[in-house]
Amino acid sequence: MNVENNAGYVHSLESFGSVDGPGVRYVVFMQGCNMRCRYCHNPDTWNLRDTQCEKYTPEDLFKKAYRCKPYWGDTGGITVSGGEPLLQIDFLIEFFRMAHEKGIHTAIDTSGNPFTFEEPFFSKFTELMNYTNLVILDIKQTDPVRHIELTGQPNENILEMAKWLSDNGKSMWIRRVLVPGVTDDAGELRNLKEFADSLKTVEQIEILPYHSMGAYKWENLNIPYTLADTAPPTDEQVREAESILGIRYGRIKTCQQKKI
Ligand code: SF4
């Protein structure tokens, strides 16, 4: 493969991530996303070929990440997030293949939006899964209509992806960004719980409380931000969602603003 043609467009890097997977992690935030989530705190990742972002070959990025190995201990490793990492799947295959060869734990934090059973994507995806230990899947909404309202994209393929991962023994964490009045409807949360329970490989469900720290980026990009009047969830709202989702051990993480 010509590595020049397989350069990855990277939005930013975080050397000591603690929220995107187990342990201490080197987190790569890839550029590009086709979703348009109303609460997105990184709209600056949307444009896949952003001229501001850095390009790496898989080899160069792996070498850079590997320098942090002493901090990973027994549980940490590398997470690729975004934006939407699966949009750059050729790059990911090479990057994770190198990590896998060194026995490093690899995780993908994805919305699942690019998933399809069509070729050539599906063969690439199955190859990528050979080198991936954990998929962190952010299910924005289980209801198809509300999913389109929230993200501008359908969710049937995303739920299909979750089922495929389950059927093929791939470990998953399910995530939900909790936005009061938008994603915290009790019925919707019950559906999410039911869906997660129908899968065989979900290790945990996480709640990421919404925050508006990325709102200024929408303003900078001249995109109307429709949640300007929405406050972060209260502790009580988080606990209520936690209770519906059956989260018993406080696996609630802070939805951190990604490094810019
Ligand atoms: S999937 Fe993630 S990066 Fe894409 S719009 Fe939604 S929150 Fe933003």
Side-chain angles (χ1 to χ4, degrees):
M1 183 180 291
N2 181 337
V3 287
E4 265 311 302
N5 290 339
N6 194 22
Y9 289 75
V10 173
H11 175 264
S12 54
L13 301 168
E14 186 178 5
S15 303
F16 304 106
S18 61
V19 294
D20 294 312
V24 174
R25 308 198 68 84
Y26 192 85
V27 187
V28 180
F29 297 102
M30 303 297 292
Q31 190 69 26
C33 186
N34 291 330
M35 302 264 264
R36 293 294 179 263
C37 304
R38 290 175 60 200
Y39 56 72
C40 181
H41 55 254
N42 286 302
D44 48 333
T45 63
W46 289 351
N47 180 5
L48 181 60
R49 297 288 182 259
D50 189 299
T51 50
Q52 307 291 316
C53 72
E54 288 198 67
K55 280 168 71 178
Y56 288 90
T57 63
E59 288 85 353
D60 285 347
L61 186 59
F62 180 70
K63 276 186 209 154
K64 200 174 165 81
Y66 198 62
R67 286 188 215 129
C68 291
K69 186 176 183 293
Y71 301 100
W72 298 337
D74 294 334
T75 53
I78 297 175
T79 297
V80 179
S81 181
E84 173 46 63
L86 291 178
L87 287 180
Q88 302 192 65
I89 196 164
D90 291 321
F91 175 87
L92 249 58
I93 289 169
E94 288 306 301
F95 183 54
F96 271 14
R97 188 180 55 72
M98 289 173 212
H100 187 72
E101 279 172 6
K102 296 276 190 192
I104 296 165
H105 185 278
T106 54
I108 296 178
D109 174 16
T110 175
S111 71
N113 170 255
F115 181 82
T116 173
F117 287 111
E118 287 178 18
E119 297 293 356
F121 180 89
F122 185 61
S123 292
K124 292 179 180 183
F125 182 77
T126 53
E127 184 180 2
L128 177 64
M129 288 303 107
N130 290 334
Y131 312 134
T132 303
N133 296 105
L134 172 69
V135 176
I136 304 169
L137 181 60
D138 188 350
I139 299 180
K140 319 285 183 182
Q141 290 285 280
T142 58
D143 181 87
V145 174
R146 289 168 66 161
H147 192 276
I148 290 175
E149 286 169 2
L150 179 64
T151 72
Q153 296 280 323
N155 69 352
E156 286 84 354
N157 59 324
I158 295 166
L159 302 181
E160 284 299 321
M161 176 176 143
K163 287 178 199 156
W164 186 89
L165 292 169
S166 167
D167 290 344
N168 287 274
K170 189 56 63 184
S171 296
M172 263 181 283
W173 290 5
I174 301 284
R175 279 186 161 172
R176 166 59 54 95
V177 177
L178 198 71
V179 189
V182 180
T183 68
D184 67 341
D185 172 79
E188 161 60 27
L189 292 176
R190 275 195 288 274
N191 288 344
L192 178 63
K193 169 82 168 110
E194 196 178 320
F195 180 70
D197 285 349
S198 75
L199 304 171
K200 299 181 280 281
T201 55
V202 175
E203 293 179 352
Q204 65 183 46
I205 305 177
E206 295 184 326
I207 288 174
L208 278 65
Y210 160 77
H211 63 69
S212 58
M213 285 188 283
Y216 76 95
K217 296 183 184 176
W218 290 67
E219 213 170 289
N220 291 346
L221 293 165
N222 278 323
I223 310 170
Y225 187 64
T226 59
L227 298 179
D229 296 329
T230 302
T234 62
D235 286 352
E236 197 186 338
Q237 286 170 316
V238 172
R239 296 297 159 214
E240 205 174 312
E242 182 186 34
S243 155
I244 294 172
L245 293 174
I247 301 171
R248 285 176 298 163
Y249 302 110
R251 294 290 305 180
I252 294 176
K253 298 199 170 182
T254 307
C255 185
Q256 288 188 334
Q257 187 174 24
K258 289 165 185 172
K259 194 175 144 197
I260 52 174

